Coordinates of all heavy atoms in Angstrom, one line a residue:
R1 N 6.6 5.6 -5.1 CA 6.8 7.0 -5.6 C 7.0 7.2 -7.1 O 6.4 8.1 -7.7 CB 8.0 7.6 -4.9 CG 7.8 7.9 -3.4 CD 8.9 8.7 -2.8 NE 10.2 8.0 -2.7 CZ 10.5 7.2 -1.7 NH1 9.7 7.0 -0.7 NH2 11.7 6.5 -1.7
A2 N 7.6 6.1 -7.7 CA 7.7 6.1 -9.2 C 6.4 6.0 -9.9 O 6.1 6.6 -10.9 CB 8.7 5.0 -9.6
Q3 N 5.5 5.2 -9.2 CA 4.2 5.0 -9.8 C 3.2 6.1 -9.6 O 2.5 6.5 -10.4 CB 3.7 3.6 -9.3 CG 2.3 3.3 -9.8 CD 2.2 3.1 -11.3 OE1 3.2 2.7 -11.9 NE2 1.1 3.4 -11.9
F4 N 3.2 6.6 -8.3 CA 2.2 7.5 -7.9 C 2.6 8.9 -7.7 O 1.8 9.8 -7.4 CB 1.5 7.0 -6.6 CG 0.8 5.7 -6.8 CD1 1.4 4.6 -6.1 CD2 -0.3 5.5 -7.5 CE1 0.7 3.3 -6.3 CE2 -0.9 4.3 -7.7 CZ -0.4 3.2 -7.1
G5 N 3.9 9.2 -7.7 CA 4.4 10.5 -7.4 C 4.8 10.6 -5.9 O 4.3 9.9 -5.1
E6 N 5.7 11.6 -5.7 CA 6.2 11.8 -4.3 C 5.1 12.0 -3.3 O 5.2 11.4 -2.2 CB 7.2 13.0 -4.4 CG 8.1 13.1 -3.2 CD 9.2 12.0 -3.2 OE1 9.6 11.6 -4.3 OE2 9.6 11.6 -2.1
T7 N 4.2 12.8 -3.5 CA 3.2 13.2 -2.6 C 2.1 12.2 -2.5 O 1.6 11.7 -1.4 CB 2.6 14.6 -2.9 OG1 3.7 15.5 -2.9 CG2 1.6 15.0 -1.8
Y8 N 1.6 11.8 -3.6 CA 0.4 10.9 -3.7 C 0.7 9.5 -3.2 O -0.2 8.8 -2.6 CB -0.2 10.8 -5.0 CG -1.5 10.0 -5.1 CD1 -2.6 10.5 -4.3 CD2 -1.6 8.9 -5.8 CE1 -3.8 9.7 -4.3 CE2 -2.8 8.2 -5.9 CZ -3.9 8.6 -5.1 OH -5.0 7.9 -5.1
A9 N 1.9 9.0 -3.3 CA 2.3 7.7 -2.8 C 2.0 7.5 -1.3 O 1.4 6.5 -0.9 CB 3.8 7.4 -3.1
D10 N 2.4 8.5 -0.6 CA 2.2 8.5 0.9 C 0.7 8.5 1.2 O 0.2 7.8 2.0 CB 2.9 9.6 1.6 CG 2.8 9.5 3.0 OD1 3.2 8.5 3.6 OD2 2.3 10.5 3.6
S11 N 0.0 9.4 0.5 CA -1.5 9.5 0.7 C -2.2 8.3 0.4 O -3.1 7.8 1.1 CB -2.0 10.7 -0.1 OG -3.4 10.8 0.0
F12 N -1.8 7.7 -0.8 CA -2.5 6.5 -1.2 C -2.2 5.4 -0.2 O -3.1 4.6 0.2 CB -1.9 6.1 -2.6 CG -2.3 4.7 -3.1 CD1 -3.5 4.6 -3.8 CD2 -1.7 3.5 -2.8 CE1 -4.0 3.4 -4.3 CE2 -2.1 2.3 -3.2 CZ -3.3 2.3 -4.0
A13 N -1.0 5.3 0.3 CA -0.6 4.2 1.2 C -1.4 4.4 2.6 O -1.7 3.3 3.2 CB 0.9 4.2 1.5
R14 N -1.7 5.6 3.0 CA -2.4 5.7 4.3 C -3.9 5.7 4.1 O -4.6 5.3 5.1 CB -2.0 7.2 4.8 CG -0.7 7.1 5.5 CD -0.4 8.4 6.2 NE 0.1 9.4 5.2 CZ -0.5 10.6 5.1 NH1 -1.4 11.0 5.8 NH2 0.0 11.4 4.2
D15 N -4.5 6.1 2.9 CA -5.9 6.3 2.8 C -6.7 5.3 2.0 O -7.9 5.1 2.2 CB -6.2 7.7 2.3 CG -5.6 8.7 3.1 OD1 -5.5 8.5 4.4 OD2 -5.2 9.8 2.6
H16 N -6.0 4.6 1.0 CA -6.7 3.8 0.0 C -6.9 2.3 0.6 O -5.9 1.6 0.8 CB -6.0 3.7 -1.3 CG -6.8 3.1 -2.4 ND1 -7.8 3.7 -3.1 CD2 -6.7 1.8 -2.8 CE1 -8.2 2.9 -3.9 NE2 -7.6 1.7 -3.8
V17 N -8.1 2.0 1.0 CA -8.4 0.6 1.5 C -8.5 -0.3 0.3 O -9.2 -0.1 -0.6 CB -9.7 0.6 2.3 CG1 -10.0 -0.8 2.8 CG2 -9.5 1.5 3.5
M18 N -7.8 -1.4 0.3 CA -7.7 -2.4 -0.8 C -8.3 -3.8 -0.4 O -7.8 -4.3 0.6 CB -6.3 -2.5 -1.3 CG -5.7 -1.2 -1.8 SD -3.9 -1.2 -2.2 CE -3.8 -2.7 -3.2
S19 N -9.1 -4.3 -1.2 CA -9.7 -5.6 -0.9 C -8.6 -6.6 -1.1 O -8.5 -7.7 -0.4 CB -10.8 -6.0 -1.9 OG -10.4 -5.9 -3.2
E20 N -7.6 -6.4 -2.0 CA -6.4 -7.3 -2.2 C -5.6 -7.4 -0.9 O -4.8 -8.3 -0.8 CB -5.6 -6.8 -3.3 CG -6.2 -6.8 -4.7 CD -7.1 -5.6 -5.0 OE1 -7.3 -4.7 -4.1 OE2 -7.7 -5.6 -6.1
L21 N -5.7 -6.4 0.0 CA -5.0 -6.5 1.2 C -5.9 -6.9 2.4 O -5.6 -6.5 3.6 CB -4.3 -5.2 1.5 CG -3.2 -4.8 0.5 CD1 -2.7 -3.4 0.7 CD2 -2.1 -5.8 0.5
G22 N -7.0 -7.5 2.1 CA -7.9 -7.9 3.2 C -8.7 -6.7 3.8 O -8.9 -6.7 5.0
G23 N -9.0 -5.7 3.0 CA -9.6 -4.5 3.6 C -8.7 -3.6 4.3 O -9.2 -2.8 5.2
R24 N -7.4 -3.7 4.1 CA -6.4 -2.8 4.7 C -5.9 -1.8 3.8 O -6.0 -2.0 2.5 CB -5.3 -3.7 5.3 CG -5.6 -4.6 6.3 CD -4.3 -5.4 6.7 NE -4.5 -6.4 7.7 CZ -5.0 -7.6 7.6 NH1 -5.2 -8.1 6.3 NH2 -5.1 -8.4 8.6
T25 N -5.3 -0.8 4.3 CA -4.5 0.2 3.5 C -3.1 -0.5 3.4 O -2.7 -1.4 4.1 CB -4.4 1.6 4.2 OG1 -3.6 1.4 5.4 CG2 -5.7 2.2 4.5
V26 N -2.3 0.1 2.5 CA -0.9 -0.3 2.4 C -0.2 -0.2 3.8 O 0.5 -1.2 4.2 CB -0.1 0.5 1.3 CG1 1.4 0.3 1.4 CG2 -0.6 0.2 -0.1
M27 N -0.3 0.9 4.4 CA 0.3 1.1 5.7 C -0.1 0.1 6.7 O 0.7 -0.5 7.5 CB 0.1 2.5 6.3 CG 0.8 3.6 5.4 SD 2.6 3.4 5.3 CE 3.0 3.9 6.9
E28 N -1.4 -0.2 6.8 CA -1.9 -1.2 7.8 C -1.4 -2.6 7.4 O -1.1 -3.3 8.4 CB -3.5 -1.2 7.7 CG -4.1 0.1 8.3 CD -5.6 0.2 8.0 OE1 -6.1 -0.5 7.1 OE2 -6.2 0.9 8.8
A29 N -1.4 -2.9 6.2 CA -0.8 -4.2 5.8 C 0.7 -4.4 6.2 O 1.1 -5.4 6.8 CB -1.0 -4.5 4.3
L30 N 1.5 -3.3 5.9 CA 2.9 -3.4 6.3 C 3.0 -3.5 7.8 O 3.8 -4.2 8.3 CB 3.6 -2.2 5.8 CG 3.8 -2.1 4.2 CD1 4.3 -0.8 3.8 CD2 4.7 -3.3 3.7
E31 N 2.2 -2.7 8.5 CA 2.3 -2.7 10.0 C 1.8 -4.0 10.6 O 2.2 -4.4 11.7 CB 1.5 -1.6 10.6 CG 2.1 -0.2 10.4 CD 1.2 1.0 10.7 OE1 0.0 0.8 11.1 OE2 1.6 2.1 10.4
A32 N 1.0 -4.7 9.8 CA 0.5 -6.0 10.3 C 1.4 -7.1 10.0 O 1.1 -8.3 10.3 CB -0.9 -6.3 9.6
G33 N 2.5 -6.8 9.3 CA 3.5 -7.8 9.0 C 3.6 -8.4 7.7 O 4.3 -9.4 7.3
W34 N 2.7 -7.8 6.8 CA 2.7 -8.3 5.4 C 4.1 -8.0 4.8 O 4.8 -7.0 5.1 CB 1.7 -7.6 4.6 CG 0.3 -8.1 4.7 CD1 -0.3 -8.2 5.9 CD2 -0.6 -8.5 3.7 NE1 -1.6 -8.6 5.7 CE2 -1.8 -8.8 4.3 CE3 -0.5 -8.5 2.3 CZ2 -2.9 -9.2 3.7 CZ3 -1.6 -8.9 1.6 CH2 -2.8 -9.2 2.3
E35 N 4.6 -8.9 3.9 CA 5.9 -8.7 3.2 C 5.7 -7.6 2.2 O 4.7 -7.5 1.5 CB 6.3 -10.0 2.5 CG 6.6 -11.1 3.4 CD 8.0 -10.9 4.1 OE1 8.9 -10.2 3.6 OE2 8.1 -11.3 5.3
A36 N 6.7 -6.7 2.1 CA 6.6 -5.6 1.1 C 6.4 -6.1 -0.3 O 5.6 -5.5 -1.0 CB 7.9 -4.8 1.2
K37 N 7.0 -7.2 -0.7 CA 6.8 -7.7 -2.1 C 5.3 -8.1 -2.3 O 4.7 -7.9 -3.4 CB 7.7 -8.9 -2.3 CG 7.4 -10.1 -1.6 CD 8.3 -11.2 -1.9 CE 8.1 -12.4 -1.0 NZ 8.9 -13.5 -1.3
D38 N 4.7 -8.7 -1.3 CA 3.2 -9.0 -1.4 C 2.3 -7.8 -1.5 O 1.4 -7.8 -2.2 CB 2.8 -9.9 -0.2 CG 3.6 -11.3 -0.3 OD1 3.9 -11.8 -1.4 OD2 3.8 -11.8 0.8
V39 N 2.7 -6.8 -0.7 CA 1.9 -5.5 -0.7 C 2.1 -4.9 -2.1 O 1.1 -4.4 -2.7 CB 2.4 -4.6 0.4 CG1 1.6 -3.3 0.3 CG2 2.1 -5.3 1.8
W40 N 3.3 -4.9 -2.6 CA 3.5 -4.3 -3.9 C 2.8 -5.0 -5.0 O 2.1 -4.4 -5.9 CB 5.0 -4.2 -4.3 CG 5.3 -3.7 -5.6 CD1 5.8 -4.4 -6.7 CD2 5.0 -2.4 -6.1 NE1 5.8 -3.6 -7.8 CE2 5.3 -2.4 -7.5 CE3 4.4 -1.3 -5.5 CZ2 5.2 -1.2 -8.2 CZ3 4.3 -0.1 -6.2 CH2 4.6 -0.1 -7.6
R41 N 2.7 -6.4 -5.0 CA 2.0 -7.1 -5.9 C 0.5 -6.8 -5.8 O -0.2 -6.7 -6.9 CB 2.2 -8.6 -5.6 CG 3.5 -9.1 -6.1 CD 3.7 -10.6 -5.8 NE 5.0 -11.0 -6.1 CZ 5.7 -11.9 -5.4 NH1 5.1 -12.6 -4.4 NH2 6.9 -12.2 -5.7
A42 N 0.0 -6.6 -4.6 CA -1.5 -6.2 -4.5 C -1.7 -4.9 -5.1 O -2.8 -4.7 -5.7 CB -1.8 -6.3 -3.0
V43 N -0.8 -4.0 -4.8 CA -1.0 -2.6 -5.4 C -1.0 -2.7 -6.9 O -1.8 -2.1 -7.6 CB 0.1 -1.7 -4.9 CG1 0.2 -0.3 -5.7 CG2 0.0 -1.4 -3.4

């Protein structure tokens, strides 16, 4: 939220597919069991 803003952080996490997360979104990576610190580093 500090980086992307209150509204866009959630949208980014649900919609932006990232190669750094193996072609997953932030939400998909977290749901797949990725550690939050690793997801944050990828972001």
